[in-house]
Amino acid sequence: MLVRTFGLVVLLGVSGAAAWAFSPGLRTQMTALWDSHTGWTEAARAVDPAGFASHAETKLQQDLAKMERTRRELAAEVGRLAKTAREQSALAEQARRLAEQFRDAYQQAQADDRFPVEVRGAAYTDGQVRSQVSLLLAEAEGYEASLADLESVRTTAEAKIEELAVRINRTEAQLVALATKRELLRARQLTAAGEELLAQVDELMTGNRQAIDANPVATVRELLARTPAKPEGRATDRKVEEFLTAKPTPAEALKTASEQFDTSVIGHTSHRSPVQLDSKDKPRTGKQSKPVRTKPIFQQS
C-alpha cells in the first residue's frame, strides 16, 4: 500500500513538471496566481526586471482606471451630501425658530396668566403648546444629528478624493518612467536608479490596492439612503419644560423681535391699498378691506 501511494505521488509530480515545461498557458496562469498572492519580492524583481515592469504597467493601468472612476463617483456623491446637508441645516434652523416663537408666546401668557396663546394665526392651550414644542425639539435634534453624520462622512469622502488625486498623479508619473526604462529593463541593465524605480512602483501598487479597497462610495450612498425625510418622535417632558422656562439669549431675542416686526409689517402694510382721490382732490369712499388672517401652520394635538 505504501509503495503504491509513493508511486502515485511520483507520477503526479512528473505529470505536473511535464505540464509546466510544455504548457506556456499553464505557466502564465500559475505565475499570475502566484503574483496576485505573494507579489514580486526584491530578489524576483532583480532576476526578471522586464517581467516585473510589464506586470507593473498592466496593474498600474488597471489601478488608474479604478481610481479615476472612484474619484468621479465620490465627487458626485459629495455633491449630493452637500445638498442634503444644506437642506437638513435649514430644516433644523426652521424647527428651532418655530419652537422659540412658541416659547416666547408661552412665557408671555404665563406672565399675563392668559391662555390660549396665538402663534402664527392659531390658538393653543398650555398643553397644546407643550405638545408642539415637543414635536419641534425632536425634529430639530433629529435634523442636527443627521447633519453631524453627513458632515463627518463628507469630510472623509473629500479627504479620500484628495488622496486619490495624489495617487492618480503618482501612478501616471510612474507609468511614464517605466516606459522610458523599458528597453534597459529588457536588456537586464538594472542600475541603482532602475532598482529604486522598481521598488517605488511596487510600493505604489501596494498603496493603490489599499486605497481602492477602502472605497467609501458605498458608505456615502448608504448614509444618504437612510437619511430620514423628517425625524419622528417627541422630546421628553423634562426637555420641553427646560426649554419653555429658559430665557432667550440676546441673539434669539433680537431674531424674534425682527421676525415679529416683519410679520407686523407684512400683515398691516403690504396689503393696504393706496388712498385714491376724486376729481375734487377728496378721498374716495369705498368698502374697507378685511384684515387677512394667516392660516394655522401646525396641527393641534
Side-chain angles (χ1 to χ4, degrees), residues 134-253:
S134 177
L135 290 170
L136 287 167
L137 290 181
E139 186 176 320
E141 290 174 358
Y143 285 131
E144 288 162 357
S146 175
L147 180 62
D149 290 341
L150 289 169
E151 291 296 343
S152 176
V153 174
R154 177 184 174 184
T155 300
T156 302
E158 288 176 341
K160 189 68 176 180
I161 289 174
E162 293 181 4
E163 177 192 350
L164 287 170
V166 172
R167 290 210 157 271
I168 287 170
N169 290 337
R170 287 187 59 193
T171 301
E172 290 174 339
Q174 293 292 29
L175 282 169
V176 172
L178 282 173
T180 59
K181 300 287 185 181
R182 186 181 295 120
E183 294 305 320
L184 292 176
L185 294 174
R186 286 176 180 170
R188 296 183 182 274
Q189 297 177 3
L190 194 61
T191 62
E195 291 178 356
E196 183 180 358
L197 171 63
L198 296 185
Q200 291 174 351
V201 169
D202 187 63
E203 180 184 358
L204 178 62
M205 288 192 298
T206 300
N208 287 352
R209 183 165 57 250
Q210 293 172 351
I212 292 169
D213 291 343
N215 181 3
V217 172
T219 304
V220 175
R221 289 174 177 168
E222 289 170 2
L223 177 62
L224 287 170
R226 68 171 182 262
T227 300
K230 183 176 182 179
E232 298 178 353
R234 290 177 175 270
T236 63
D237 292 342
R238 180 180 177 181
K239 283 186 177 181
V240 172
E241 182 65 26
E242 290 176 349
F243 180 81
L244 287 175
T245 56
K247 295 299 182 183
T249 64
E252 290 173 345

Side-chain angles (χ1 to χ4, degrees), residues 98-147:
L98 294 177
E100 289 164 6
Q101 289 181 17
F102 272 99
R103 179 178 62 189
D104 294 339
Y106 178 86
Q107 291 180 353
Q108 187 63 48
Q110 288 278 25
D112 298 340
D113 193 19
R114 176 181 52 80
F115 279 94
V117 299
E118 185 172 313
V119 179
R120 294 202 171 187
Y124 296 88
T125 64
D126 183 303
Q128 289 170 336
V129 169
R130 291 176 178 274
S131 178
Q132 291 295 338
V133 169
S134 177
L135 290 170
L136 287 167
L137 290 181
E139 186 176 320
E141 290 174 358
Y143 285 131
E144 288 162 357
S146 175
L147 180 62

Side-chain angles (χ1 to χ4, degrees), residues 254-299:
L254 181 62
K255 183 189 299 182
T256 301
S258 175
E259 290 174 350
Q260 289 175 346
F261 174 77
D262 292 341
T263 302
S264 174
V265 170
I266 292 172
H268 294 86
T269 64
S270 62
H271 296 286
R272 183 177 298 169
S273 300
V275 176
Q276 297 181 355
L277 304 178
D278 59 15
S279 59
K280 297 182 180 180
D281 292 335
K282 293 182 179 181
R284 291 181 178 176
T285 59
K287 295 181 180 180
Q288 296 294 327
S289 59
K290 296 181 179 180
V292 177
R293 187 173 182 83
T294 307
K295 293 182 179 179
I297 58 172
F298 299 103
Q299 294 293 330

Side-chain angles (χ1 to χ4, degrees), residues 40-111:
W40 284 71
T41 64
E42 184 178 354
R45 294 197 302 269
V47 171
D48 188 9
F52 172 73
S54 177
H55 162 76
E57 284 187 276
T58 301
K59 189 67 174 65
L60 289 178
Q61 290 285 3
Q62 294 172 351
D63 290 349
L64 192 60
K66 291 178 181 178
M67 290 189 295
E68 287 176 339
R69 182 174 63 251
T70 300
R71 185 176 63 167
R72 288 193 301 270
E73 291 175 350
L74 268 180
E77 296 302 328
V78 165
R80 291 180 59 199
L81 275 176
K83 180 176 181 293
T84 303
R86 288 193 298 270
E87 293 170 350
Q88 300 283 300
S89 179
L91 290 170
E93 177 65 18
Q94 181 185 41
R96 288 285 179 192
R97 285 202 309 268
L98 294 177
E100 289 164 6
Q101 289 181 17
F102 272 99
R103 179 178 62 189
D104 294 339
Y106 178 86
Q107 291 180 353
Q108 187 63 48
Q110 288 278 25

